[in-house]
Amino acid sequence: LPRFERTETLFGNCVGGMHNVLTMCFSLPVQSLSSLGSQQSAVSTYSVMTGKRVTVTGSMTVGIFCKGGKLNLDVVGCKDLASPHSSGLVTAYVKTYLLPDKSKDTKKKTKSMQKSRNPMFKETISYKMDQKSCENLTAQFSVWDKSRVGHNTFLGEVLIPLY
């Protein structure tokens, strides 16, 4: 399971009642577009995915749990997200991958949360795999603003290596 030297433990259960035992729960700042290069999140000021100039801000609270042939990624919520809209609100969702595999096999999403800069998802995304299969993978959590027309806007990401 991952070791985190730069993370802060927040509480015993990320999402109350989802699991009897939670391996990790933490809040990390969202960062920009590390998936374009190294496994470390590179600090970048704007979302270049859609051409919209959005300052990447905020944090994401997630949990990781591995037991009984399942890897569970708990997506609790986000706080203080940037917005590309004049209203200042976003319709956010979180997309996950298990890197280095960016195929449809590891791509999963949360439901969209309407009109908030502080969306609470309280969702668990599950992958069928044992703890040994998690080695050398990185959990990617990226947050997006869902657009009714055109492209969705990238708002930031968190990468967590699974050792």
Side-chain angles (χ1 to χ4, degrees):
L1 290 175
R3 291 186 335 242
F4 297 98
E5 296 160 358
R6 297 185 306 162
T7 62
E8 175 184 345
T9 300
L10 295 179
F11 31 79
N13 285 313
C14 279
V15 182
M18 280 195 164
H19 305 294
N20 292 332
V21 179
L22 182 65
T23 305
M24 280 163 281
C25 181
F26 47 91
S27 182
L28 296 171
V30 292
Q31 298 182 1
S32 297
L33 299 178
S34 61
S35 54
L36 295 179
S38 72
Q39 290 291 332
Q40 294 290 325
S41 289
V43 177
S44 176
T45 309
Y46 298 105
S47 172
V48 295
M49 297 294 283
T50 62
K52 292 183 181 178
R53 295 179 62 87
V54 178
T55 302
V56 174
T57 62
S59 63
M60 185 184 304
T61 302
V62 297
I64 298 175
F65 178 82
C66 190
K67 186 177 179 182
K70 277 189 177 180
L71 170 66
N72 291 328
L73 306 179
D74 288 343
V75 182
V76 180
C78 297
K79 186 175 180 184
D80 300 325
L81 293 176
S83 174
H85 309 292
S86 59
S87 69
L89 302 175
V90 296
T91 299
Y93 68 94
V94 174
K95 183 170 29 174
T96 65
Y97 284 101
L98 296 178
L99 301 177
D101 185 1
K102 283 198 82 164
S103 72
K104 289 183 179 182
D105 294 336
T106 70
K107 175 183 173 181
K108 297 195 179 188
K109 298 181 202 177
T110 65
K111 295 177 184 172
S112 298
M113 302 307 284
Q114 299 289 321
K115 300 181 182 177
S116 174
R117 290 188 60 225
N118 304 300
M120 292 302 293
F121 299 99
K122 296 182 181 179
E123 290 187 41
T124 298
I125 295 172
S126 295
Y127 295 91
K128 289 183 181 181
M129 65 176 55
D130 58 24
Q131 192 169 341
K132 181 97 172 129
S133 300
C134 294
E135 292 177 9
N136 300 316
L137 295 177
T138 298
Q140 178 188 42
F141 299 83
S142 58
V143 61
W144 296 79
D145 176 45
K146 188 172 184 176
S147 174
R148 290 184 186 193
V149 292
H151 297 285
N152 297 335
T153 303
F154 173 82
L155 299 177
E157 71 177 1
V158 171
L159 294 176
I160 302 172
L162 308 177
Y163 295 100

